[in-house]
Structure formats: structure tokens, C-alpha cells
Amino acid sequence: MTGPAPSPPGRLVSLDAFRGFAIAGMILVNNPGSWAHVYAPLRHAPWHGATPTDLIFPFFLFGVGVSMSLSFAARMARGDSRRDLARHVARRALIIYGLGLFMTAFPGFDLSTVRLVGVLARIALVYLVAGALVLAQSRRAVFAVMLGLPLAYWALMSWVPVPGFGAGDLSPEGNLAAWLDRLVLGVHMWSGGGGVYDPEGLLSTLPAISTTLAGLFTGDFLRSERELGPRFATSLRLALGGAALVAAGLLWDLVFPINKPLWTSSYVAWTAGWALLTLAALYWLVEVRGLHRWTRPLVIYGMNAITVFVASGLLAKTLILWRVPARQGSGGTTSAYNLVYEAGFASWAGPLNGSLAFALATVLFWFAVLWAMSARRIFIKV
């Protein structure tokens, strides 16, 4: 009796599915029908602590690191030099940052107040720094940086005094990262933080680099394991490493709380642990057990990840700014976004479930777009 066929050599389907899971999760949590009606697991934690939503962004950065290990090795095997790769990294980082700036500035393009940091800006900066480290330093040195950045960040946030607040204040207003962002970025910060802090700020980008480097070393491990073929032992090692990091993050949380807006060092360890556990499960199901078909929607999402993130954000902004007549009997105008939510979802599912249904419909809509692109072999690489 034969079992299911293992994943074919070449691409790691489990990694594609992991990346697709992260980007589909981003679309889901970023597009509720109404921000006033969102289930708690689909919201970020208010400050300290974490929800499932707080795993999504670090999962994506972790996946960037895994992909970096695999793609750099493949490019060098094809004859690319380190200089070629350095140009590729710089060009890609610049494009991703430019896309993020365009998304933030759209549609008014008021550069006097435009936010200079954000999700895509963080991806760009982390990719640039991690790529430069990988190309310029030995793996031992890169490993030391991966460990050193969270430790240094912990020390800075704990012991460097902030004017008016002192040292070790981890409140939104009093922490060192927020003070530095206010000093350097000024009005070019996240409006949702009231001008007090930015969840993708400057100093907190340092530990985010370690999140990506954790993915890099996971990619190195997977490359070394591929010579032996897909094995349960590979999944087990990933899972054991993940469990250890989750435990380390929880222990660190006792003195340096898990906090996504600050991207605390405990958050780095905790989220990297969950990323390893998730990848271990996917690797076992897909590469070892050969259960591929169910991953197709996730793989399709993962193959145009940046494209769908940008397109979905621009469409949502457009619908929010587009004023249309409100539903019959209510008078006045409303946004096209709100009209679709109220008439198409809240009208039959209620405010809370309608908001969730709207988000799920958004995920399905963009899957249909990406599926059509995939069927035509359209993959927009940045």
C-alpha cells in the first residue's frame, strides 16, 4: 500500500503556503466591514499581550528570511555574484518602500504630513539590512547579530532614560522607541497613534530584523535537510525549536512584555516560535505526507503577495473616499465601502457577523483575482 506522494523537488510548497497564509491573514484583518465591529482575535492587542492577529506580520517577515536563504542559494548556484545579489536587494527594497510610500500618500499625496514608515517600509528596511548582512558577513556573524539585536534593544528600552519619563517606561508615550520616532519623524507618523507612537517605527525595526534572520537560519536548515528528502524528523526539529522559542518568549515576557507595537524582544522570540511551529505543521502535511491540493489557495496568495497587499489597500482607500447616496430612507451620503458593508452584509448578518463576512468576502474576492492572474501565468515580482 502506497501513501501520498511527497512534494516534488524544487519549490517548497509548504513555504509558499506559509507565505500565502500570512498575506491572506493580512487582507482578512485589514478589511473588516466596520472597525467598530470586529471579533477580538481579529484585532491587535491594545498594548501589551498578543492576539492571533499579532502573529501575521512577523510570520510574513519570517517567511521573507526563509525565502532569502533559498533564493540567494539558488541565484548563486546559477552564477550570480554577491554584487549581483546586492543590486537585487537594493532595487527590491527601494521598490517595496516606494510602493508603501505611494499607498500611504494616496490619494492626496501631501508630502508635508505623509507617513514615512509603515508595513511595506518595514519590510523594505528589514529586507535591505538582512540582505546586506547575509552578503557581507559570515553566517556566524549574522547569527551573532540575530541574537544581539533583541538583547541590545531590551537594554536600550530598559535602561536609557527618556526625557520626562525616565528609563524603562513602556507606556505608549514614555518608551524610548516612541520618543525617538516623535523626535525624528515628527508629523510623519501613524495617525492611529495620535502622534504619540508608530507601530512600525525606527528603533523597533531593529528587533524586526532578527525576526527575518530567524527565518533565514530556518531556510538554511531546510536546505541542509533537503538532501535527505522530506522527513518527519525535519518537521519534529522545526517543532521542537518552535516550542523552545515560544517558551523563551513567555519567560522573557515576565521582564520585557510581549508587545507588537514595540516589537519587543520577547515578541521576537514568541512569534518566531509560533512561525516555526506553523511551518513544521505545514512541512509535515505537504512535504512529508504529500497533501498538496488543499494548499492551492494559499500558494496562489503567496505568489503575488506584495501585489495583492498593495492592490487591496488602494481599493479599500478608494471605496472609503468614494461618497455615494446612503441606503434608502437614511438620507445623506456614505462611503461606498460602508454602503457595501451595510447593504450587502450587515443587513442580513448583523453588525458583527456582517463585518466578518465582509472581510471573508474580501479575501475570496482577491483570491479570485489572483487565481485569474495565476491561470494566465501573471506573477508580478518586486
Side-chain angles (χ1 to χ4, degrees):
M1 181 177 180
T2 59
S7 183
R11 295 187 68 89
L12 270 177
V13 179
S14 53
L15 175 59
D16 290 333
F18 179 88
R19 184 168 48 239
F21 171 75
I23 195 65
M26 284 187 185
I27 303 301
L28 178 70
V29 302
N30 286 345
N31 293 276
S34 168
W35 284 106
H37 303 286
V38 180
Y39 280 102
L42 299 180
R43 291 184 183 273
H44 290 293
W47 192 242
H48 293 327
T51 71
T53 295
D54 293 311
L55 292 170
I56 292 172
F57 192 15
F59 272 30
F60 189 86
L61 289 184
F62 184 91
V64 167
V66 180
S67 297
M68 183 181 293
S69 171
L70 301 178
S71 65
F72 279 19
R75 283 175 174 269
M76 294 185 79
R78 293 197 300 265
D80 285 3
S81 66
R82 288 181 179 268
R83 180 173 294 181
D84 294 330
L85 285 174
R87 282 196 292 264
H88 167 76
V89 167
R91 174 181 171 276
R92 192 176 187 207
L94 186 61
I95 291 173
I96 294 173
Y97 185 85
L99 288 171
L101 192 62
F102 180 87
M103 281 185 69
T104 303
F106 177 85
F109 297 99
D110 182 1
L111 299 184
S112 65
T113 58
V114 68
R115 185 186 181 197
L116 295 178
V117 291
V119 171
L120 289 180
R122 172 156 290 181
I123 293 171
L125 291 171
V126 165
Y127 179 73
L128 180 65
V129 174
L133 284 169
V134 169
L135 294 173
Q137 301 295 327
S138 67
R139 279 296 197 266
R140 180 174 294 181
V142 175
F143 189 79
V145 171
M146 181 187 72
L147 296 181
L149 284 176
L151 291 170
Y153 184 65
W154 179 26
L156 289 171
M157 295 290 283
S158 300
W159 299 329
V160 175
V162 175
F165 295 93
D169 189 324
L170 297 180
S171 68
E173 301 88 353
N175 71 83
L176 178 65
W179 175 81
L180 183 64
D181 288 337
R182 293 195 298 270
L183 180 67
V184 177
L185 297 174
V187 297
H188 300 282
M189 291 172 60
W190 180 52
S191 60
V196 172
Y197 74 94
D198 196 301
E200 282 82 41
L202 299 174
L203 189 61
S204 61
T205 298
L206 293 179
I209 294 168
S210 290
T211 300
T212 297
L213 293 179
L216 172 86
F217 285 103
T218 301
D220 286 353
F221 168 73
L222 290 173
R223 283 196 296 116
S224 67
E225 290 285 298
R226 292 183 81 175
E227 296 179 2
L228 302 173
R231 301 182 304 154
F232 172 74
T234 301
S235 300
L236 181 60
R237 289 171 183 168
L238 289 172
L240 290 174
L245 282 173
V246 168
L250 292 174
L251 287 173
W252 212 338
D253 173 67
L254 299 175
V255 292
F256 194 28
I258 291 171
N259 184 302
K260 189 266 179 189
L262 295 178
W263 213 281
T264 53
S265 308
S266 56
Y267 178 74
V268 171
W270 187 75
T271 55
W274 279 112
L276 278 169
L277 288 169
T278 304
L279 185 57
L282 288 170
Y283 187 92
W284 179 74
L285 285 170
V286 177
E287 315 299 342
V288 179
R289 296 284 297 163
L291 304 176
H292 311 146
R293 291 184 180 179
W294 70 275
T295 66
R296 184 61 179 162
L298 297 179
V299 170
I300 286 175
Y301 251 102
M303 294 174 80
N304 272 303
I306 298 295
T307 300
V308 71
F309 181 81
V310 173
S312 65
L314 292 177
L315 178 60
K317 264 195 170 184
T318 301
L319 292 176
I320 289 170
L321 293 169
W322 182 10
R323 305 302 297 180
V324 297
R327 295 179 65 192
Q328 188 175 5
S330 59
T333 64
T334 187
S335 70
Y337 189 102
N338 189 58
L339 181 64
V340 172
Y341 158 64
E342 289 186 344
F345 298 93
S347 60
W348 57 269
L352 187 59
N353 289 327
S355 184
L356 175 60
F358 181 100
L360 291 170
T362 302
V363 173
L364 292 174
F365 168 78
W366 283 110
F367 169 70
V369 173
L370 294 175
W371 180 83
M373 292 174 63
S374 177
R376 291 163 177 78
R377 308 298 298 171
I378 300 173
F379 305 107
I380 302 175
K381 301 294 184 182
V382 295

